[in-house]
Amino acid sequence: MGKDERKLEDHISGQANKPLSLPPHALPYTTVAEELEANQEDGLTVQHAQARLDEYGRNELDDGPGVQPVKILIRQVANAMMLVLILAMAVSFGISSYIEGGVITAVIILNIIVGFFQEFNAEKTMDSLRSLSSPTAVAVRAGNTQVVPTAEIVPGDTVELKTGDTVPADLRLFEAMNFETDEALLTGESLPVQKDAEAVFDADTGVGDRLNVAFSSSTVTKGRARGIVFATGMRTEIGTIAAALRATGKITRAVKRKPDGSAKPHRYAQAWGLTAGDFIGHFLGVNVGTPLQRKFMIPACLVVVLTITMAAGTKRMVQRHVIVRKLDSLEALGAVTDICSDKTGTLTQGKMVAKRAWIPSMGTYSVGTSTDPIDPTKGSLSHIGMPPTELKVNSESEDEEKNVTSYQELLKHNVPLHDYLNVASLANLAHVHETEDGWKARGDPTEIAIQVFVSRFGRNRERLTQEESWSQVAEFPFDSSVKKMSVIFVNKANKEKFVFTKGAVERIIGSCSRVRLERNAEPTEISEEFRNRILDNMEALAAQGLRVLALASKAYLGDIGGNDTSYDRETIENDLTFQGLIGLYDPPRVESAGAVKECHEAGITVHMLTGDHPGTAKAIAAQVGIIPSRTKAIAKDVANSMVTQASDFDKLTDEEIDNLPVLPLVIARCSPNTKVRMIDALHRRKRFAAMTGDGVNDSPSLKRADVGIAMGQAGSDVAKDASDIVLTDDNFASILNAIEEGRRMFDNIQKFVLHLLSENIAQACTLLIGLAFKDASGLSVFPLAPVEILWVIMITSGMPDMGLGVEKAAPDIMARPPQSLKKGIFTIEIMVDMLVYGLWMAALCLASFSLVLFGFGDGSLGSNCNDSYSEECDTVFRARATTFVSLTWFALFLAWEMVNMRRSFFRMQPHSKKYFTQWMYDVWSNQFLFWAVIAGFITIFPTLYIPVINHDVFKHTGITWEWGVVFVEAILFFCGIESWKWAKRVYFRRKASQQGRKGDNLESTGFRSEGREDGDLEKQ
């Protein structure tokens, strides 16, 4: 917990990590800031934050011992596989087969040691990844808003909170607007508590009455706030009761009781029976782990390899900006058929710039090219006395250059512009200010862009509130149901009160009754014709890929005072005066178009679900390739279904949605309920959907989706808790990385399962058919000794299987259709391969045994050759050694063949020019697998040629000329495997050709992946 050695027993409730003169709730926030040496505006510097982290330790509760080696060791001993081996060992010693018993004992010890270190390392990896998926907080560091892991929050940090956030530490609030938190975890109070940053309370005030403090682990249910951290970790209020909240992990089933609390005897028997069943299931491994792990009871080595593969996969995902919160999602990622993505910040950069502003009585104001989106001094201002509908797109830049004007000149005697800028500046929660290190910005990207725009005119929020005496009275935050936000401000100089509102254009103009049409005229009643003109201008701006918002205001004649709930929002946001439009440009991420193209190639359909205007959404969707560029080649009803508004989509019944030729690729003005209906519609079409989200309202759709994807930077903690994976960079391309990793892991699991089970089939068939070989006394002579079988299973196969688990992705992994989780890993192809490879290896093993024994030997099976070596058993021992070496080689070579289950071992890279040597590069590319195979080859020789080990343990002897048989068998093995793979390639090529996939462009591939359930789109 760091270097803070002060005893927890001495900590006083409500005090800071380092005690202040009074508890923070009993001090003004300015005093708290002084005593903590905190900066309310710019926060701590990075150096100060690190120093305090070293001093006070990480902001974590003491949640137990973490990775426990003793428990891991017990798990290695107490499992079904070890039980079988221990029983076999006991039987061996019981019948005086001391050598076999000793070998099994060695295998048990080796498996426990290897399994312990493998699981210990995997647990350490998963434990470190869990810390990455913990909640984050928005802190101000060195004047910049940063997303910081909650564990790294320190006393003195300035933290910003919004609806849906989890409070990261105990904070003394210094700014709160309509701010409420749920403190039920702390106080038991079911209702949210409204906070008051200005209040100061007595030092002995109870926890529930400290209304100027936001407590760690409480959830923000409403509004926004800023505060200074004064207590972290175990010194928070929640830290004092952490022991009581710590889960103990109850292992017994509850007894079902009657309403009066009594229970009959059979209910107790039922509870104990279920508890015993849980214990047995846990012991056998059938009710723990992910769904895929639960399918593997025996052989348990599959579970070990699976655990290592998943741990390595999650670690790789972190490097590719993806944090896995639920292991089940690893199996689901490879099956994703549809991605429903937001636009802003995911497909686009999230770095907005205000490019156009239209004021009806003045015309269009434009901003020139800027090298820094948050620096208002970069980029020129120009004015053209025409609306956007009359501007020619091609000549815009020329007109702007001709009409560049200083902001002082533009503001001169310009009442409409002043009114417009007041709304843009004050109906805005962003902060843009200049520091010694340049311009800094905090807040939502949309509001930052608008605040930068007004700062170009010297009219930003700070100046208006500090120099012109504007004071905020109330705030109505953005709500996805009304799609607007409003504030009430009073001008202290003249006591005038105003409502300032911004939001979606359609919603704003529906609330407006007046508009100023001439520069020096008073506002007049707005007509239906003018409302249509506003919409036309919005369409003109949206067609340029701009996100368009409307601004409006009115004088407020009501009383002020009380809290925000004392105002009627519907009345406040009605009878407004329309001030104008503002167009914001959020350029697509450079990698978005390529990522969408790859999705289409991978058979994944991309849907954009955004709150933006349809014109803006359609323009961005076309730029990144979500909607096709050649719509004329697509049936009209299909093209019409591709882009729609949420209002139209929500009016459709489920049956009407199901009858659409394709589900919409773009839904504009999207609400949270629309996202849920979209997921349900995809499920009804048997699609497997991933959904992105960042807000509290996105939680239902994130939970409903097969894979919920939260944004790590812009996402609320509630959204992250509802998600399966988190993107640390909020980038759409990272979703593709996650899907590729999911497919790679699924592929690798199939590879090592096929490898191991093929060997098991080969061994079983060799032993069963080998029962036909009988000596003079009528006893069957085994082609493989028991210790040889154990050696192949435990030693030869184990390490190559782990190597296959970390194999890199196949070149064509993102050119295949999504996997089917209904079939799981055991597809028809896998099961047929398993039989073919297993039977082919068994046939070759039996051929090896027969050739040495009957072809080149005298055919004598001797006597008692299963137990000991003698002269008459020499031929049997040589045949058995040849069979053992052949099987070992087959197992090792099969691992390399499994690197790609369809392509030839000698041509795994289809575009390589190294026609004869590419296989050398391929086997070396996975060095873990390479050295595992080499080790398998080397360890054969001690078992063959070291006395006692060969005759008494493995029941075989050293071979000489028989190596020729092994080499011929190896060549035949390769010929058989390669021939089967060639036949598979021919079959799948013909199948793909029949389905019309060959030569498809990526767009039609993307749409056909949607249409496979709905009928062939090409026929429509």
Side-chain angles (χ1 to χ4, degrees), residues 300-376:
C301 51
L302 283 179
V303 178
V304 175
V305 178
L306 187 66
T307 302
I308 293 168
T309 300
M310 287 188 166
T314 51
K315 200 169 183 179
R316 281 171 60 100
M317 283 191 177
V318 171
Q319 296 167 356
R320 304 186 74 177
H321 310 293
V322 179
I323 295 172
V324 178
R325 296 189 68 254
K326 299 173 185 175
L327 278 180
D328 291 25
S329 64
L330 292 176
E331 299 159 28
L333 282 167
V336 168
T337 61
D338 291 74
I339 300 173
C340 299
S341 174
D342 190 14
K343 177 184 76 70
T344 305
T346 306
L347 288 162
T348 61
Q349 296 178 20
K351 296 177 180 178
M352 293 192 176
V353 178
K355 299 293 287 184
R356 299 278 186 274
W358 174 60
I359 301 174
S361 60
M362 297 302 301
T364 304
Y365 295 85
S366 300
V367 177
T369 304
S370 172
T371 56
D372 186 348
I374 64 171
D375 187 346

Side-chain angles (χ1 to χ4, degrees), residues 883-900:
T883 306
F884 169 67
V885 174
S886 297
L887 181 60
T888 302
W889 279 31
F890 298 160
L892 297 173
F893 286 139
L894 184 63
W896 271 333
E897 285 281 6
M898 290 300 96
V899 169
N900 194 305

Side-chain angles (χ1 to χ4, degrees), residues 590-608:
V590 176
E591 59 272 24
S592 289
V596 171
K597 189 176 181 182
E598 284 188 58
C599 283
H600 289 165
E601 190 175 28
I604 300 169
T605 304
V606 182
H607 307 262
M608 179 196 288

Side-chain angles (χ1 to χ4, degrees), residues 584-663:
L584 309 165
Y585 183 59
D586 183 13
R589 290 180 183 267
V590 176
E591 59 272 24
S592 289
V596 171
K597 189 176 181 182
E598 284 188 58
C599 283
H600 289 165
E601 190 175 28
I604 300 169
T605 304
V606 182
H607 307 262
M608 179 196 288
L609 278 60
T610 177
D612 280 347
H613 179 265
T616 308
K618 187 175 181 180
I620 296 296
Q623 288 179 41
V624 300
I626 290 177
I627 56 177
S629 55
R630 299 182 297 106
T631 53
K632 292 180 180 178
I634 300 170
K636 187 176 180 181
D637 59 338
V638 176
N640 291 339
S641 300
M642 287 182 180
V643 182
T644 187
Q645 292 194 61
S647 56
D648 297 328
F649 186 79
D650 291 339
K651 288 175 185 175
L652 300 175
T653 64
D654 288 348
E655 185 178 353
E656 288 172 329
I657 292 174
D658 294 340
N659 289 331
L660 291 173
V662 290
L663 288 175

Side-chain angles (χ1 to χ4, degrees), residues 26-52:
L27 295 171
Y29 61 77
T30 52
T31 306
V32 174
E34 288 174 11
E35 294 192 21
L36 288 172
E37 298 180 7
N39 187 320
Q40 294 171 228
E41 201 61 43
D42 293 333
L44 299 174
T45 64
V46 176
Q47 293 79 9
H48 285 156
Q50 184 59 50
R52 295 190 184 197

Side-chain angles (χ1 to χ4, degrees), residues 369-508:
T369 304
S370 172
T371 56
D372 186 348
I374 64 171
D375 187 346
T377 64
K378 302 286 179 65
S380 59
L381 283 169
S382 61
H383 173 243
I384 301 174
M386 293 186 292
T389 51
E390 297 178 18
L391 293 177
K392 295 180 180 178
V393 177
N394 295 333
S395 62
E396 278 180 13
S397 58
E398 297 177 11
D399 292 338
E400 287 170 10
E401 291 176 10
K402 293 176 184 177
N403 293 279
V404 170
T405 313
S406 67
Y407 78 86
Q408 295 92 342
E409 191 67 28
L410 293 173
L411 283 171
K412 193 177 296 182
H413 309 301
N414 196 336
V415 175
L417 180 57
H418 273 276
D419 290 348
Y420 177 94
L421 293 175
N422 283 348
V423 181
S425 180
L426 297 175
N428 192 318
L429 307 180
H431 291 262
V432 176
H433 62 285
E434 189 175 15
T435 67
E436 294 178 358
D437 299 325
W439 286 86
K440 304 291 183 182
R442 297 195 312 271
D444 178 79
T446 300
E447 296 196 326
I448 288 174
I450 297 174
Q451 200 65 250
V452 170
F453 177 76
V454 297
S455 298
R456 296 179 186 279
F457 295 86
R459 304 283 297 171
N460 69 11
R461 183 186 177 97
E462 283 191 3
R463 178 181 171 182
L464 294 182
T465 54
Q466 294 174 12
E467 298 180 22
E468 298 191 12
S469 302
W470 286 97
S471 176
Q472 185 168 336
V473 176
E475 177 184 314
F476 305 91
F478 178 84
D479 188 321
S480 58
S481 61
V482 297
K483 295 192 179 298
K484 50 192 172 188
M485 70 86 66
S486 300
V487 291
I488 301 176
F489 268 80
V490 60
N491 190 323
K492 293 180 181 178
N494 55 24
K495 306 303 181 185
E496 291 181 338
K497 295 164 287 185
F498 288 90
V499 174
F500 300 125
T501 304
K502 76 170 186 295
V505 179
E506 302 92 330
R507 300 298 181 92
I508 294 292

Side-chain angles (χ1 to χ4, degrees), residues 791-980:
W791 182 270
V792 173
I793 292 174
M794 297 295 179
I795 308 301
T796 306
S797 297
M799 297 305 286
D801 283 338
M802 292 175 203
L804 287 172
V806 297
E807 180 62 38
K808 65 182 182 182
D812 63 342
I813 197 164
M814 294 305 288
R816 308 177 199 160
Q819 293 136 351
S820 170
L821 282 189
K822 282 187 178 179
K823 297 177 182 176
I825 60 170
F826 292 105
T827 62
I828 296 295
E829 180 184 357
I830 292 293
M831 289 189 285
V832 173
D833 283 352
M834 201 184 301
L835 283 172
V836 170
Y837 297 151
L839 293 175
W840 181 236
M841 286 191 288
L844 292 175
C845 286
L846 291 168
S848 298
F849 190 79
S850 301
L851 274 172
V852 175
L853 189 62
F854 301 109
F856 299 102
D858 57 8
S860 173
L861 291 168
S863 178
N864 201 28
C865 294
N866 289 334
D867 296 327
S868 60
Y869 175 80
S870 62
E871 285 297 326
E872 63 175 333
C873 289
D874 183 72
T875 305
V876 172
F877 270 51
R878 285 178 175 275
R880 190 177 287 149
T882 307
T883 306
F884 169 67
V885 174
S886 297
L887 181 60
T888 302
W889 279 31
F890 298 160
L892 297 173
F893 286 139
L894 184 63
W896 271 333
E897 285 281 6
M898 290 300 96
V899 169
N900 194 305
M901 292 187 287
R902 290 184 188 173
R903 292 195 178 277
S904 168
F905 168 72
F906 303 100
R907 191 69 180 156
M908 290 188 189
Q909 308 300 327
H911 304 298
S912 173
K913 301 296 183 183
K914 301 179 179 73
Y915 298 106
F916 301 106
T917 58
Q918 181 59 47
W919 65 273
M920 298 180 186
Y921 295 93
D922 290 334
V923 299
W924 180 247
S925 64
N926 185 342
Q927 294 192 27
F928 189 106
L929 178 58
F930 175 82
W931 290 113
V933 172
I934 295 301
F937 281 121
I938 294 172
T939 52
I940 290 175
F941 295 98
T943 68
L944 285 176
Y945 298 109
I946 294 179
V948 180
I949 290 178
N950 55 5
H951 289 175
D952 296 340
V953 177
F954 283 85
K955 310 300 183 188
H956 60 213
T957 190
I959 57 176
T960 52
W961 59 267
E962 291 88 353
W963 281 106
V965 175
V966 173
F967 278 102
V968 172
E969 294 276 350
I971 293 170
L972 290 173
F973 169 81
F974 270 114
C975 290
I977 302 298
E978 290 293 325
S979 298
W980 177 249

Side-chain angles (χ1 to χ4, degrees), residues 744-803:
R744 184 189 68 82
M745 278 189 283
F746 194 92
D747 257 16
N748 290 348
I749 291 167
Q750 281 190 320
K751 290 171 187 176
F752 67 66
V753 167
L754 176 57
H755 176 253
L756 186 61
L757 296 185
S758 296
E759 286 180 49
N760 290 351
I761 289 174
Q763 292 166 353
C765 291
T766 301
L767 289 173
L768 288 173
I769 297 172
L771 294 175
F773 299 118
K774 294 187 178 180
D775 60 16
S777 62
L779 291 175
S780 296
V781 176
F782 303 142
L784 289 169
V787 175
E788 289 176 330
I789 295 168
L790 275 175
W791 182 270
V792 173
I793 292 174
M794 297 295 179
I795 308 301
T796 306
S797 297
M799 297 305 286
D801 283 338
M802 292 175 203

